[in-house]
Amino acid sequence: MNLFQWLKPAKRAKAPELTAEQVQRLSELPRTATLSEQPLRQQRWVVLDLETSGLNMNRDDVLSIGAVVIEDGAIDLGQQFERTLSRPDHKLSPSVLIHGLGPSAIAAGSEPVEALLDFMAFVGDSPLLAFHAPFDQHMIGRALKESLGYKLQHPFLDVAEIAPLLFPQACLRQAGLDDWTAFFGLHAEERHHASADALVTAELALILFSHARKQGMDSPLQLEQDLAKWRRRQQSHSF
């Protein structure tokens, strides 16, 4: 490589091509949301789960989005979201054995731009919850950036962190969703399906919110602040 090649700027990703209607819908989406000091029961939450083509956060794609709403301290089954995204270039991978989304289901899916616009309209300005949230946050954020040119700035809280924060006696710090649902005696009708996993995550979150209030964490902002302290303690103990 010569000097001029080294100085050449990196190739930018091609800007997404949107219709006038899609551009209008995009402009109406909230760009950000903040964690409030209102009581947990008064906060609308969107609980998210994704099925993806694999676990590589920079290469694999979102195949399915499932979400449910917690509002007024309960799961609102009238507010649910589910989409499978069409991925023409998707190749059969071992992940199909987990999520069951074969080529025919992917081919019949929704066009990604429309599906993602619908999802963000569903989210509105609500914060999001997920189990192992950094993965879902990165994957949905990358999909939104690539398909819409939209930068996701909504807060994400990780149920996988909230659980050991509130229940250190469970000794399940590195546990998965199945471990925590078993700990609380929850029953998941179906697993590795985005909507079903979002629903059981929401059920787990409601249990945790109840215990958070008893421990003096009665607002989204307070919960996040206590989570940040918990993370620092975990990091200090790891050295």
Side-chain angles (χ1 to χ4, degrees), residues 10-216:
K11 185 178 179 180
R12 294 184 179 180
K14 185 180 179 181
E17 296 180 4
L18 306 179
T19 66
E21 181 184 358
Q22 290 169 340
V23 170
Q24 178 63 31
R25 291 185 65 194
L26 180 62
S27 71
E28 294 169 354
L29 296 178
R31 289 288 159 177
T32 187
T34 57
L35 293 173
S36 73
E37 296 184 60
Q38 66 184 344
L40 288 171
R41 291 180 62 87
Q42 295 179 17
Q43 176 65 61
R44 180 184 187 266
W45 301 88
V46 174
V47 187
L48 168 69
D49 188 82
L50 304 175
E51 297 299 339
T52 63
S53 59
L55 298 178
N56 187 310
M57 294 196 293
N58 297 314
R59 184 185 64 209
D60 287 310
D61 293 318
V62 174
L63 301 181
S64 178
I65 305 171
V68 66
V69 167
I70 293 176
E71 194 164 27
D72 297 325
I75 298 170
D76 184 352
L77 295 177
Q79 297 187 70
Q80 295 189 73
F81 184 93
E82 183 174 10
R83 292 286 191 285
T84 297
L85 277 61
S86 173
R87 298 291 189 186
D89 299 327
H90 176 64
K91 297 178 181 179
L92 193 64
S93 68
S95 63
V96 73
L97 298 175
I98 299 174
H99 53 59
L101 293 170
S104 59
I106 299 299
S110 301
E111 200 275 319
V113 168
E114 290 295 326
L116 291 165
L117 283 169
D118 288 346
F119 175 66
M120 290 311 300
F122 175 83
V123 172
D125 61 358
S126 299
L128 294 111
L129 290 166
F131 197 93
H132 292 149
F135 178 81
D136 294 85
Q137 183 176 15
H138 182 93
M139 293 298 289
I140 196 68
R142 203 185 102 223
L144 288 163
K145 187 70 175 177
E146 291 176 354
S147 293
L148 302 178
Y150 178 93
K151 184 177 180 180
L152 181 67
Q153 295 179 300
H154 289 56
F156 264 78
L157 268 66
D158 191 354
V159 177
E161 288 186 334
I162 299 172
L165 164 68
L166 298 174
F167 287 88
Q169 70 274 19
C171 299
L172 291 175
R173 183 186 167 199
Q174 301 296 330
L177 183 57
D178 289 331
D179 299 300
W180 282 108
T181 54
F183 179 79
F184 289 110
L186 297 174
H187 176 66
E189 292 291 336
E190 188 176 4
R191 283 284 283 111
H192 302 299
H193 181 282
S195 294
D197 284 355
L199 182 58
V200 74
T201 301
E203 292 173 353
L204 177 57
L206 283 178
I207 294 172
L208 295 172
F209 286 166
S210 176
H211 286 273
R213 288 191 292 271
K214 295 174 184 177
Q215 296 183 35

